Amino acid sequence: LHLSIRRQRQMCIRDSILFINALHADDGAKGIVKERMDKFKTSKTLMQKINKGLQNQDFNAIEKSADQLLIWSKEMIKYFPEGSDGMPSEASINIWKDPDGFKTAINNFQNASLNLITKSQTKDMEQTVNAFRDLAGTCKGCHKKYRN
C-alpha cells in the first residue's frame, strides 16, 4: 500500500506539472483579459501548493488551497464576457458558441474542488490524491475544448 501511495503521488505530480505548464499569461493583456489571466496564474499557484501539500501530507494546506479554487470556480464565469477572446487572450470562441458546455465545465471544476476539500478533510491520502487528479482533469478537459 505504501508503494501504491508513492506511485499515486508520482502520477499526481506528473499530471499537475502537465497542468501547470499549460497555464501561462501573456504580457500586454489589459482589462478583463489581464484580470482573468491573473486569476489563472493564482489558480496555477494554488495547484502547486496542493501538489506540495500532497508530497508533505499537509491536508490543511490542501484544503485551504482547494477552498480558494472553489471560490474562483464560483466567480470564473464573470471573467469571460463576450468579446474578450481577442489577443493576447487564449480563450476559445467555443466559450461563447457553447455557453452551456462552458458552464458545465466550470461546474465540473467547482464540484471537483469541493470534492478535494471533502477528501482532504478525511486525511486519506489515496482519496485525496484521486480527488486532486480529478480536479486537474477538469482543468485539462476545459482547456482542451475552450482554450486556444
Side-chain angles (χ1 to χ4, degrees), residues 67-81:
D67 187 57
Q68 292 299 308
L69 291 172
L70 179 62
I71 292 167
W72 166 228
S73 74
K74 292 177 180 180
E75 63 183 22
M76 187 184 294
I77 194 72
K78 74 179 183 182
Y79 287 89
F80 288 90

Side-chain angles (χ1 to χ4, degrees), residues 49-68:
K49 287 181 179 181
I50 292 169
N51 189 37
K52 187 174 181 180
L54 289 169
Q55 292 173 16
N56 298 327
Q57 297 185 20
D58 184 348
F59 294 99
N60 291 329
I62 296 166
E63 182 181 352
K64 183 177 177 184
S65 293
D67 187 57
Q68 292 299 308

Side-chain angles (χ1 to χ4, degrees), residues 23-65:
L23 289 175
H24 60 88
D26 280 41
D27 291 330
K30 296 178 182 165
I32 195 73
V33 173
K34 170 118 176 70
E35 291 175 37
R36 179 171 70 219
M37 290 176 151
D38 288 346
K39 290 282 190 175
F40 278 109
K41 281 176 118 178
T42 299
S43 181
K44 170 185 168 179
T45 299
L46 292 167
M47 293 295 281
Q48 290 171 329
K49 287 181 179 181
I50 292 169
N51 189 37
K52 187 174 181 180
L54 289 169
Q55 292 173 16
N56 298 327
Q57 297 185 20
D58 184 348
F59 294 99
N60 291 329
I62 296 166
E63 182 181 352
K64 183 177 177 184
S65 293

Side-chain angles (χ1 to χ4, degrees), residues 8 11-23 40 43-44 46-48 50-51 54 66 69 105 108-116 128-144 147:
Q8 285 182 347
M11 290 171 53
C12 189
I13 291 166
R14 181 202 66 212
D15 291 347
S16 64
I17 288 169
L18 292 173
F19 165 76
I20 289 164
N21 286 338
L23 289 175
F40 278 109
S43 181
K44 170 185 168 179
L46 292 167
M47 293 295 281
Q48 290 171 329
I50 292 169
N51 189 37
L54 289 169
L69 291 172
N108 291 342
F109 175 69
Q110 184 174 355
N111 290 336
S113 297
L114 186 58
N115 186 48
L116 180 56
T128 305
V129 166
N130 288 335
F132 179 62
R133 190 175 297 128
D134 291 344
L135 176 61
T138 67
C139 299
K140 183 178 178 182
C142 188
H143 290 177
K144 187 174 183 179
R147 182 174 179 227

Side-chain angles (χ1 to χ4, degrees), residues 95-111:
I95 291 169
W96 299 278
K97 286 184 175 180
D98 180 21
D100 290 337
F102 185 59
K103 287 175 187 170
T104 297
I106 291 173
N107 192 52
N108 291 342
F109 175 69
Q110 184 174 355
N111 290 336

